[in-house]
Amino acid sequence: GAGVSQSPSNKVTEKGKDVELRCDPISGHTALYWYRQSLGQGLEFLIYFQGNSAPDKSGLPSDRFSAERTGGSVSTLTIQRTQQEDSAVYLCASSPGTGRSNQPQHFGDGTRLSIL
Amino acid sequence: EDKVVQSPLSLVVHEGDTVTLNCSYEVTNFRSLLWYKQEKKAPTFLFMLTSSGIEKKSGRLSSILDKKELFSILNITATQTGDSAIYLCAVEASSSNYKLTFGKGTLLTVNP
């Protein structure tokens, strides 16, 4: 597609359930990033993929959070045993790849996650 | 730890006014500073700045970077109601896999 695509756009779930969020980056972009935007906070980095590997997971807030990327394309972010503090907008961004000529990250519309 | 501070946090102006948004930063191995505009959903890219003193312009928007004083400004002239949004500043460091560190944003409201 022309831009970064995320699904679902909205997700409401009960505390304790697992959720999966999906990101489809811009075609050909090898770098993929997940961020979280909470009310009153800036965007916070969660995890970075280069191809299928994740050299930087330093932003994942707990071991309930995990992510994978397959085929160098689609990525899923999984949150297990959700808690109310996980409520936020989860944004995905992609770029052509690190080390290349300066190219900005482009963002998807995000998934708004609400934990009841 | 990399840090970005934006000011003001919110601003209300009338159509036609000129606004200046501020962004200061502390980052190790600075590579670039980026400005994004966020309306309802995706932050949309405005500018990427890597060199001091070179103004980037796009229509009524312009931005400049000062790498000595570690700040950037985003100017919007002749504001319109469609400029109402959150403006996000972020820095990118080559030592941290190019992930972006964001400020909390400036909420700009332009009233008719």
Side-chain angles (χ1 to χ4, degrees), chain A residues 31-77:
Chain A
L32 185 148
Y33 302 79
W34 284 98
Y35 296 87
R36 178 169 74 172
Q37 187 173 32
S38 305
L39 192 63
Q41 299 294 319
L43 277 78
E44 301 170 299
F45 166 79
L46 296 176
I47 187 169
Y48 154 65
F49 285 92
Q50 180 60 38
N52 290 336
S53 63
D56 190 346
K57 305 179 183 180
S58 62
L60 295 178
S62 76
D63 59 8
R64 296 186 296 103
F65 287 72
S66 63
E68 65 174 15
R69 189 179 185 194
T70 54
S73 182
V74 172
S75 175
T76 54
L77 177 69

Coordinates of all heavy atoms in Angstrom, one line a residue, chain A residues 31-77:
Chain A
A31 N 13.2 -0.9 7.9 CA 13.1 -0.6 9.3 C 11.7 -0.3 9.8 O 10.9 0.3 9.1 CB 14.0 0.7 9.6
L32 N 11.4 -0.9 10.9 CA 10.0 -0.8 11.5 C 10.1 -0.5 13.0 O 10.9 -1.1 13.7 CB 9.2 -2.1 11.2 CG 7.7 -2.1 11.6 CD1 7.0 -3.0 10.6 CD2 7.5 -2.5 13.0
Y33 N 9.3 0.4 13.4 CA 9.3 0.9 14.8 C 7.9 0.9 15.4 O 6.9 1.2 14.7 CB 9.8 2.3 15.0 CG 11.2 2.6 14.4 CD1 11.4 2.7 13.0 CD2 12.3 2.7 15.2 CE1 12.7 2.9 12.5 CE2 13.6 2.9 14.7 CZ 13.7 3.0 13.3 OH 15.0 3.3 12.8
W34 N 7.8 0.5 16.7 CA 6.5 0.6 17.4 C 6.7 1.6 18.5 O 7.8 1.7 19.2 CB 6.2 -0.7 18.1 CG 5.6 -1.8 17.2 CD1 6.2 -2.8 16.6 CD2 4.2 -1.9 16.8 NE1 5.4 -3.6 15.8 CE2 4.1 -3.0 16.0 CE3 3.0 -1.2 17.1 CZ2 2.9 -3.5 15.4 CZ3 1.8 -1.6 16.5 CH2 1.8 -2.7 15.7
Y35 N 5.7 2.5 18.6 CA 5.7 3.5 19.7 C 4.3 3.5 20.4 O 3.3 2.9 19.9 CB 5.8 4.9 19.1 CG 7.1 5.2 18.4 CD1 7.3 4.9 17.0 CD2 8.2 5.8 19.1 CE1 8.5 5.2 16.4 CE2 9.4 6.1 18.4 CZ 9.6 5.7 17.1 OH 10.8 6.0 16.5
R36 N 4.3 4.1 21.6 CA 3.0 4.1 22.3 C 2.8 5.6 22.7 O 3.7 6.3 23.2 CB 3.1 3.2 23.6 CG 1.9 3.3 24.5 CD 2.0 2.2 25.5 NE 2.9 2.5 26.6 CZ 3.0 1.7 27.7 NH1 2.2 0.6 27.8 NH2 3.9 2.0 28.6
Q37 N 1.5 6.0 22.6 CA 1.2 7.4 22.9 C 0.1 7.3 24.0 O -1.0 7.0 23.7 CB 0.8 8.2 21.7 CG 0.6 9.7 21.9 CD 0.3 10.4 20.7 OE1 -0.3 9.9 19.7 NE2 0.7 11.7 20.6
S38 N 0.4 7.7 25.2 CA -0.6 7.7 26.3 C -1.1 9.1 26.5 O -0.4 10.1 26.1 CB 0.0 7.2 27.6 OG 0.6 5.9 27.4
L39 N -2.2 9.3 27.1 CA -2.8 10.6 27.3 C -1.9 11.4 28.1 O -1.3 11.0 29.2 CB -4.1 10.4 28.1 CG -5.0 11.6 28.2 CD1 -5.5 12.0 26.8 CD2 -6.2 11.3 29.1
G40 N -1.6 12.6 27.6 CA -0.7 13.5 28.3 C 0.8 13.3 28.1 O 1.6 14.0 28.7
Q41 N 1.1 12.2 27.4 CA 2.5 11.8 27.2 C 2.9 12.0 25.8 O 2.1 11.9 24.9 CB 2.8 10.3 27.6 CG 2.4 10.1 29.1 CD 3.4 10.8 30.0 OE1 4.6 10.8 29.8 NE2 2.8 11.3 31.1
G42 N 4.2 12.1 25.5 CA 4.7 12.1 24.2 C 4.7 10.6 23.7 O 4.4 9.7 24.4
L43 N 5.1 10.5 22.4 CA 5.3 9.1 21.9 C 6.5 8.5 22.6 O 7.6 9.1 22.6 CB 5.5 9.2 20.4 CG 4.3 9.2 19.5 CD1 3.7 10.7 19.5 CD2 4.5 8.7 18.1
E44 N 6.3 7.2 23.0 CA 7.4 6.5 23.7 C 7.8 5.3 22.8 O 6.9 4.5 22.4 CB 7.0 6.0 25.0 CG 6.6 7.1 26.0 CD 5.9 6.5 27.2 OE1 4.9 5.9 27.1 OE2 6.5 6.7 28.3
F45 N 9.1 5.1 22.6 CA 9.6 4.0 21.8 C 9.4 2.7 22.5 O 9.6 2.6 23.7 CB 11.1 4.3 21.5 CG 11.8 3.1 21.0 CD1 11.7 2.7 19.7 CD2 12.6 2.3 21.8 CE1 12.4 1.6 19.2 CE2 13.3 1.2 21.4 CZ 13.2 0.8 20.0
L46 N 9.0 1.7 21.7 CA 8.8 0.4 22.3 C 9.9 -0.6 21.7 O 10.6 -1.2 22.5 CB 7.4 -0.2 22.0 CG 6.2 0.6 22.6 CD1 4.9 0.0 22.1 CD2 6.3 0.6 24.1
I47 N 9.9 -0.8 20.4 CA 10.8 -1.8 19.8 C 11.1 -1.4 18.4 O 10.3 -0.7 17.7 CB 10.1 -3.2 19.9 CG1 11.1 -4.3 19.4 CG2 8.8 -3.2 19.1 CD1 10.5 -5.7 19.7
Y48 N 12.3 -1.8 17.9 CA 12.7 -1.5 16.6 C 13.1 -2.8 15.8 O 13.7 -3.7 16.4 CB 14.0 -0.6 16.6 CG 14.9 -0.7 15.5 CD1 14.6 -0.3 14.2 CD2 16.2 -1.1 15.7 CE1 15.5 -0.3 13.2 CE2 17.1 -1.2 14.6 CZ 16.7 -0.8 13.4 OH 17.6 -0.8 12.3
F49 N 12.7 -3.0 14.6 CA 13.0 -4.1 13.7 C 13.8 -3.6 12.6 O 13.5 -2.6 11.9 CB 11.8 -4.8 13.2 CG 11.0 -5.6 14.2 CD1 10.0 -5.1 14.9 CD2 11.3 -7.0 14.4 CE1 9.3 -5.8 15.8 CE2 10.6 -7.7 15.3 CZ 9.6 -7.2 16.0
Q50 N 14.9 -4.4 12.3 CA 15.6 -4.2 11.0 C 15.5 -5.5 10.3 O 16.0 -6.5 10.7 CB 17.1 -3.8 11.2 CG 17.9 -3.6 10.0 CD 17.3 -2.5 9.1 OE1 16.8 -1.5 9.5 NE2 17.3 -2.8 7.8
G51 N 14.7 -5.6 9.2 CA 14.3 -6.8 8.6 C 13.5 -7.6 9.6 O 12.6 -7.0 10.2
N52 N 13.8 -8.9 9.9 CA 13.0 -9.7 10.8 C 13.6 -9.7 12.2 O 13.0 -10.3 13.1 CB 12.9 -11.1 10.3 CG 12.0 -11.2 9.1 OD1 11.2 -10.4 8.8 ND2 12.2 -12.3 8.3
S53 N 14.7 -9.1 12.4 CA 15.3 -9.1 13.7 C 15.1 -7.8 14.5 O 14.9 -6.8 13.9 CB 16.8 -9.4 13.6 OG 17.5 -8.4 12.9
A54 N 15.1 -8.0 15.8 CA 14.8 -6.8 16.7 C 16.0 -6.5 17.5 O 16.1 -7.0 18.7 CB 13.6 -7.2 17.6
P55 N 16.9 -5.7 17.0 CA 18.1 -5.4 17.8 C 17.9 -4.5 19.0 O 18.8 -4.3 19.8 CB 19.0 -4.7 16.7 CG 18.1 -4.2 15.7 CD 16.9 -5.1 15.6
D56 N 16.7 -3.8 19.0 CA 16.4 -2.9 20.2 C 15.0 -3.2 20.7 O 14.0 -2.8 20.0 CB 16.6 -1.5 19.7 CG 16.6 -0.5 20.9 OD1 16.2 -0.9 22.0 OD2 17.0 0.6 20.7
K57 N 14.9 -3.8 21.8 CA 13.6 -4.0 22.5 C 13.6 -3.2 23.8 O 12.7 -3.5 24.6 CB 13.5 -5.5 22.8 CG 13.6 -6.4 21.7 CD 13.5 -7.9 22.1 CE 13.7 -8.9 21.0 NZ 13.6 -10.2 21.4
S58 N 14.4 -2.2 23.9 CA 14.6 -1.6 25.2 C 13.4 -0.8 25.7 O 13.3 -0.5 26.9 CB 15.8 -0.6 25.1 OG 15.5 0.4 24.2
G59 N 12.4 -0.5 24.8 CA 11.3 0.3 25.3 C 10.1 -0.6 25.7 O 9.1 0.0 26.2
L60 N 10.2 -1.9 25.5 CA 9.0 -2.7 26.0 C 8.9 -2.6 27.5 O 9.8 -2.9 28.2 CB 9.2 -4.2 25.5 CG 9.3 -4.4 24.0 CD1 9.5 -5.9 23.7 CD2 7.9 -4.0 23.4
P61 N 7.7 -2.2 28.0 CA 7.6 -1.9 29.4 C 7.6 -3.1 30.3 O 7.8 -3.0 31.5 CB 6.2 -1.2 29.5 CG 5.5 -1.6 28.2 CD 6.5 -1.9 27.2
S62 N 7.2 -4.3 29.8 CA 7.2 -5.5 30.7 C 7.3 -6.7 29.8 O 7.2 -6.6 28.6 CB 6.0 -5.5 31.6 OG 4.9 -5.9 30.8
D63 N 7.5 -7.9 30.4 CA 7.6 -9.1 29.6 C 6.2 -9.5 29.1 O 6.1 -10.6 28.4 CB 8.2 -10.2 30.5 CG 7.5 -10.5 31.7 OD1 6.4 -10.0 32.0 OD2 8.0 -11.3 32.5
R64 N 5.2 -8.8 29.4 CA 3.8 -9.1 28.8 C 3.8 -8.6 27.4 O 2.9 -9.0 26.6 CB 2.7 -8.4 29.6 CG 2.6 -8.9 31.1 CD 1.4 -8.3 31.7 NE 1.5 -6.8 31.9 CZ 0.8 -5.9 31.2 NH1 0.0 -6.3 30.2 NH2 1.0 -4.6 31.4
F65 N 4.7 -7.8 27.0 CA 4.8 -7.2 25.7 C 5.8 -8.0 24.8 O 6.9 -8.2 25.3 CB 5.2 -5.7 25.7 CG 4.2 -4.8 26.2 CD1 3.8 -4.8 27.6 CD2 3.5 -3.9 25.4 CE1 2.9 -3.9 28.0 CE2 2.6 -3.0 25.8 CZ 2.2 -3.0 27.2
S66 N 5.4 -8.3 23.6 CA 6.3 -9.0 22.7 C 5.9 -8.6 21.3 O 4.8 -8.1 21.0 CB 6.3 -10.5 22.8 OG 5.0 -11.0 22.5
A67 N 6.9 -8.7 20.3 CA 6.6 -8.4 18.9 C 7.4 -9.3 18.0 O 8.4 -9.8 18.4 CB 6.9 -6.9 18.7
E68 N 6.8 -9.5 16.9 CA 7.6 -10.2 15.8 C 7.3 -9.6 14.5 O 6.4 -8.8 14.3 CB 7.2 -11.7 15.9 CG 5.8 -12.0 15.5 CD 5.5 -13.5 15.4 OE1 6.4 -14.3 15.8 OE2 4.5 -13.9 14.8
R69 N 8.2 -9.9 13.6 CA 8.1 -9.5 12.2 C 8.5 -10.6 11.3 O 9.5 -11.3 11.5 CB 9.0 -8.3 11.9 CG 8.7 -7.6 10.6 CD 9.6 -6.4 10.4 NE 9.3 -5.7 9.2 CZ 10.1 -4.8 8.6 NH1 11.2 -4.4 9.2 NH2 9.7 -4.2 7.5
T70 N 7.7 -10.9 10.3 CA 7.9 -12.0 9.4 C 8.0 -11.5 8.0 O 7.4 -10.5 7.6 CB 6.8 -13.0 9.5 OG1 5.5 -12.4 9.3 CG2 6.8 -13.7 10.9
G71 N 8.9 -12.2 7.2 CA 9.0 -11.9 5.8 C 9.6 -10.4 5.5 O 9.4 -9.9 4.5
G72 N 10.1 -9.8 6.6 CA 10.6 -8.5 6.4 C 9.5 -7.5 6.2 O 9.8 -6.3 5.7
S73 N 8.3 -7.9 6.5 CA 7.2 -7.0 6.2 C 6.3 -6.8 7.4 O 6.6 -6.0 8.3 CB 6.4 -7.5 5.0 OG 5.3 -6.6 4.7
V74 N 5.2 -7.5 7.5 CA 4.2 -7.3 8.6 C 4.8 -7.6 9.9 O 5.5 -8.5 10.1 CB 3.0 -8.2 8.3 CG1 2.0 -8.2 9.5 CG2 2.3 -7.8 7.0
S75 N 4.4 -6.8 10.9 CA 4.8 -7.0 12.3 C 3.5 -7.1 13.2 O 2.5 -6.4 12.9 CB 5.6 -5.8 12.8 OG 5.9 -5.9 14.1
T76 N 3.6 -7.9 14.2 CA 2.5 -7.9 15.2 C 3.1 -7.6 16.6 O 4.2 -8.1 16.9 CB 1.8 -9.3 15.2 OG1 2.8 -10.3 15.4 CG2 1.0 -9.5 14.0
L77 N 2.4 -6.8 17.3 CA 2.7 -6.5 18.7 C 1.7 -7.2 19.6 O 0.5 -7.0 19.4 CB 2.7 -5.0 18.9 CG 2.9 -4.5 20.4 CD1 4.4 -4.7 20.8 CD2 2.6 -3.0 20.5

